[in-house]
Amino acid sequence: MEITASHPLALPVGVTLDRYIMNRQTAFPYATGELSQLLRDIALAGKIIHREVNRAGLIDLTGGMGIQNVQGESQQKLDMIANIRFCRALKNGGEACAIISEEDEDIIFTGNNQGKYVVAIDPLDGSSNIDVNVSIGTIFSIYRRVTPIGSEPSLADFLQGGRRQVAAGYILYGSSTILVYTTGHSANGFTYDSSLGEFILSHPDIHSPANGQIYSCNDGNVDSYEQGIQNYLTDCRSKQYTARYIGSLVGDFHRNLLKGGIYLYPPTKKNPDGKLRLLYEAFPLAFLAEKAGCLASSGHQSVLDIRPTSLHQRTPLYIGSPVMVEKLVGLLQ
Ligand code: AFP
């Protein structure tokens, strides 16, 4: 058989996430291999969630549990499953000594007190989209612990501040599943090839456009936004920008990251401090966004400069193309 240059066999499969992590290990600030293993554990849990999400409608995994999580939001079956899968993967891995999750009120101690890292995670974000086959995601944030290795981890390990993250990223379960992460250098995306069971480097060194024409917010809340934001949105409409909002932060963020745009979740009457959670939504996306050339603001300061004071703290979030974020922030009181 003659293999021409365009034949599928002539094309390389690409760099797998495992190989990429291994190659990059020396670039990590703490290159002992434990952070690499932690990232692999997260990727493994992501593969399992990918499988569960894709067969959710077939094996009765859609719908609610009939209970609420710590945020007072109704908990979906897949929320619970994703939480269990991620916590188990992190506990079994051994590198994480503690976890915080959107689904649990308190710190989850893994029992691995020799572990150097703590992980903040939103196991399944956008869960109201599960039953209707719209994109959902996982968001993760990793810190090197500040408490002594061998001791019991504490709140202080999680309240270090966004700039102390050593790695952060998300997995988007969309038209394809993609894992995007940074260890503080570049932001890279790996698309999941389910036939190989591997994440393959598909979006190396992501650089987001400096400006964009997409704005993403919940239009139903606009009346309770402060005047500066309403003025910004009026300006977007007058320029015939495109409104896109699916109510899944990971999906909305990812689209705007690649295409150029801004995601807004301002304070509202219902959520005067904003709706999104600082430690496992805003911090990781802000960390990643900055590495890809975007900005993330709470309206008054860079998200990464917010001093965290509690595990489930909320923040307003304006994140995306720097020209758009700067313009919006300039209009705020
Ligand atoms: P859920 O995981 O409870 O669905 O929350 C999703 C989310 O935190 C974020 O992903 C969305 O951008 C935002 O809420 C959507 O909120 P609204 O429905 O208030 O617009």
Side-chain angles (χ1 to χ4, degrees):
M1 178 175 72
E2 195 195 339
I3 297 177
T4 59
S6 60
H7 191 281
L9 281 177
L11 302 172
V13 169
V15 180
T16 65
L17 177 65
D18 275 359
R19 179 153 299 275
Y20 183 86
I21 290 174
M22 219 168 72
N23 290 348
R24 295 275 313 185
Q25 197 168 303
T26 48
F28 291 162
Y30 309 100
T32 57
E34 285 150 290
L35 181 56
S36 304
Q37 187 52 46
L38 193 48
L39 289 166
R40 286 195 205 101
D41 295 341
I42 290 172
L44 173 63
K47 288 179 195 176
I48 298 172
I49 306 308
H50 164 93
R51 186 190 67 191
E52 311 285 17
V53 166
N54 279 282
R55 60 181 190 168
L58 299 173
I59 53 167
D60 193 28
L61 289 184
T62 57
M65 296 290 294
I67 51 171
Q68 295 191 330
N69 69 10
V70 55
Q71 319 292 334
E73 293 152 354
S74 78
Q75 208 166 28
Q76 305 295 304
K77 290 179 195 164
L78 267 179
D79 275 335
M80 287 272 289
I81 290 169
N83 195 35
I84 292 167
R85 293 291 189 201
F86 272 100
C87 291
R88 202 178 282 163
L90 293 170
K91 278 180 189 167
N92 291 344
E95 291 78 21
C97 58
I99 306 162
I100 59 158
S101 161
E102 188 198 16
E103 305 301 332
D104 291 278
E105 184 149 14
D106 299 317
I107 296 175
I108 303 159
F109 297 99
T110 62
N112 308 317
N113 285 354
Q114 294 300 325
K116 282 184 188 161
Y117 296 97
V118 297
V119 181
I121 195 150
D122 184 350
L124 211 54
D125 180 67
S127 44
S128 62
N129 283 326
I130 292 171
D131 292 0
V132 289
N133 292 60
V134 176
S135 300
I136 44 186
T138 296
I139 311 176
F140 61 90
S141 160
I142 304 174
Y143 296 85
R144 194 165 203 258
R145 65 187 294 182
V146 290
T147 47
I149 290 171
S151 68
E152 180 145 298
S154 77
L155 196 60
D157 293 312
F158 290 98
L159 302 184
Q160 298 183 43
R163 297 206 183 274
R164 305 271 311 213
Q165 292 172 96
V166 294
Y170 58 84
I171 305 169
L172 171 63
Y173 313 96
S175 53
S176 61
T177 291
I178 183 167
L179 184 154
V180 183
Y181 82 99
T182 181
T183 52
H185 303 278
S186 54
N188 294 281
F190 298 80
T191 299
Y192 185 55
D193 182 336
S194 55
S195 64
L196 295 176
E198 298 276 8
F199 283 101
I200 309 283
L201 181 61
S202 53
H203 296 67
D205 198 8
I206 297 171
H207 284 278
S208 190
N211 202 354
Q213 302 201 338
I214 299 173
Y215 63 102
S216 307
C217 65
N218 186 336
D219 190 68
N221 292 334
V222 169
D223 284 351
S224 68
Y225 293 167
E226 73 171 83
Q227 194 55 47
I229 293 167
Q230 298 202 25
N231 294 346
Y232 180 77
L233 294 174
T234 304
D235 186 59
C236 289
R237 291 184 196 110
S238 75
K239 292 185 169 126
Q240 297 189 315
Y241 283 1
T242 297
R244 288 281 184 276
Y245 186 75
I246 60 169
S248 207
L249 174 60
V250 175
D252 284 313
F253 173 79
H254 182 72
R255 180 196 52 245
N256 295 354
L257 177 76
L258 298 188
K259 294 191 166 184
I262 185 169
Y263 175 95
L264 312 80
Y265 212 111
T268 60
K269 280 200 193 83
K270 190 173 163 205
N271 292 296
D273 298 322
K275 178 183 179 191
L276 301 174
R277 279 51 61 116
L278 183 61
L279 293 192
Y280 41 82
E281 291 184 314
F283 269 169
L285 294 190
F287 189 62
L288 194 131
E290 288 200 0
K291 304 305 166 203
C294 293
L295 285 180
S297 172
S298 68
H300 302 290
Q301 63 186 142
S302 164
V303 166
L304 293 178
D305 290 331
I306 299 174
R307 245 174 48 88
T309 52
S310 63
L311 293 183
H312 300 284
Q313 186 172 338
R314 295 176 191 261
T315 178
L317 180 65
Y318 309 102
I319 189 166
S321 302
V323 173
M324 299 179 90
V325 174
E326 270 167 1
K327 178 161 186 179
L328 179 136
V329 169
L331 295 173
L332 300 180
Q333 302 279 330

